[in-house]
Amino acid sequence: MRVTKRDLRGNKEGEIALTPETLDDLWHLKYIIEKGDLVFALTKRKAEAASDKLRPEKVEKKNVRLGIRVDDLEFHKFSNRLRVHGLIEHGMDAGYHHTLNLEEGTALSIIKHWKKDQVERVNEAEATSKRPKVIIVAIEEGDADIGFVRHYGIEIYSHIRQSSGKGEGTLREVFFSTILEQLNHAMCGTESVVVAGPGFTKDDLMKYISSNNSELAAGILVEDTSSIGMSGFQEVLRRGAVDRIMEESRIARESSLMDEFLKEMALGGKVAYGMDEVKTAIDYGAVEKLLVADELLRLEREEGNIDAMIQEVEHAQGSMVVFSTEFEPGQKLHSLGGIAALLRFKI
C-alpha cells in the first residue's frame, strides 16, 4: 500500500490518502473503511438528469472525482475489487447513490475518525509493501501445490500431479519441469520461495531447479513438513520460514497465538473466550492480548459495542490482534465466539 498523505489531528480525526497496490491492500481496506466514512476516488458516472428524458439518449459516463458517505461495502476477492456504496456528498449528483469500485492502483482518500488499530493496519500494509512476498511450493512424490502467502490467508495458485503421459525425459523430470514452469510463471521477480514437504522429493526438486535455474535455487528456503496442501502450508508458517523472509508475517503470528491459546485452554489455563468471559477479564484488568476476528470487529463496530472494550485493554497495558477469518486461526477464533484473550492471571 502506498500512502501519499497523512493529515490527522491529535484525536485521530482527519484524512489519509493512499493507493492499494495488491489484493492484500484491498482486504485491509475492507476493515479500515466503515459506515459513515467519507471516501473520495476517481470514478465513472453519467448524470442522473439524463434519465429524466422521455426518450433518453445514450449518455457516456464521465470520469469524475466523487466523495461518498459510506453506507455499505463488499469485498470481491476473486474479481480483485472492493465495492463501496453510499450517498454522494461531493461532486456531481450530490444526494444520489453511487458505488465506488476500488481496485489495485485506485487512488483514494479516506476522511474519518481513525481508530488506533486502523492506523496500525495502514502502517503495516505500507511497511509490508516494501518487504519481499512469499510463494510456497509443497511437494511429495507425484503431487505438488503452489500457494501465495496473502495477508488474509494462503491462496492456492495451482495443484500439479505427475502425469503418465509422454514428455521429454522421465515422468519425474516432466513433473519437476512443470513445477518450475508454473513457479516461473507465478513470479514477478520480487518474491521469495519456500520449498517444503515430507521425505526426499523436495530435495530432488531442489537439485532439478539448481540444474536449470541456479539463480532461483540460491534464494530458496527448504522446510520439512509432514504433508502438502493447506496443512503443509500451515506447517511452514508455524515453523517460522515465512517470518524469516518477511520479518513478521501477520498470518504466521496469528497461527502462533492461536496455538498458544489452544494449549492454555486445554490446560484450563489463563484464557477467556466468548464476549461475556472476555468482558469479565477486561473488568479485572487481566487481558494481556485481546484476540478479535475481523468480521466480529466490523459487526460490533457497526453496533458501537466494542471500541470501549479495546480502550480498556489498552489502558491496562494490553494489546489487540485482529485475526483474518479467511485463514484457519481466524476461523477457529470465530468458532469460539469471535473474541478471546490470553490473560496475565487466571480468573
Side-chain angles (χ1 to χ4, degrees), residues 131-302:
R131 300 173 188 158
K133 298 172 179 64
V134 181
I135 297 174
I136 302 175
V137 181
I139 183 171
E140 62 184 7
E141 197 62 48
D143 281 289
D145 292 293
I146 298 177
F148 298 148
V149 179
R150 302 288 196 186
H151 278 200
Y152 54 82
I154 299 289
E155 177 186 334
I156 300 289
Y157 174 74
S158 65
H159 174 75
I160 304 151
R161 187 182 298 275
Q162 184 169 312
S163 172
S164 59
K166 295 180 180 180
E168 293 184 10
T170 67
L171 292 177
R172 208 159 188 257
E173 288 173 342
V174 172
F175 176 50
F176 288 163
S177 173
T178 304
I179 294 171
L180 180 56
E181 181 182 336
Q182 294 209 20
L183 184 57
N184 286 330
H185 188 266
M187 296 182 71
C188 299
T190 59
E191 298 86 354
S192 297
V193 178
V194 178
V195 170
F200 298 104
T201 309
K202 63 183 178 299
D203 302 312
D204 294 338
L205 173 63
M206 283 302 303
K207 291 175 185 176
Y208 181 87
I209 295 175
S210 297
S211 297
N212 290 273
N213 190 334
S214 58
E215 186 177 344
L216 172 62
I220 293 178
L221 287 178
V222 179
E223 282 288 325
D224 286 312
T225 60
S226 60
S227 61
I228 66 170
M230 193 59 74
S231 59
F233 292 148
Q234 288 163 5
E235 277 192 72
V236 172
L237 295 174
R238 285 195 292 270
R239 290 173 182 271
V242 173
D243 276 340
R244 294 199 295 274
I245 296 171
M246 297 181 70
E247 299 176 6
E248 183 182 5
S249 162
R250 180 186 184 91
I251 55 178
R253 182 181 64 195
E254 291 171 19
S255 294
S256 176
L257 283 170
M258 182 51 63
D259 285 347
E260 182 182 351
F261 176 86
L262 292 174
K263 286 175 185 175
E264 279 289 325
M265 186 171 72
L267 296 171
K270 299 178 291 183
V271 297
Y273 61 93
M275 192 63 75
D276 292 339
E277 280 191 20
V278 171
K279 281 181 178 177
T280 300
I282 292 173
D283 290 340
Y284 278 99
V287 174
E288 184 172 19
K289 284 190 174 67
L290 181 66
L291 316 179
V292 186
D294 50 22
E295 285 297 324
L296 179 84
L297 182 63
R298 182 176 63 84
L299 293 172
E300 288 292 327
R301 276 195 166 143
E302 289 178 1

Side-chain angles (χ1 to χ4, degrees), residues 98-131:
H98 186 74
T99 298
L100 298 175
N101 289 308
L102 306 182
E103 302 174 327
E104 296 171 24
T106 301
L108 65 142
S109 178
I110 306 167
I111 300 173
K112 62 183 291 172
H113 177 78
W114 289 83
K115 300 175 179 69
K116 182 181 176 182
D117 64 282
Q118 294 168 339
V119 175
E120 288 174 350
R121 193 182 278 268
V122 170
N123 294 339
E124 179 187 351
E126 184 181 27
T128 300
S129 69
K130 300 171 184 177
R131 300 173 188 158

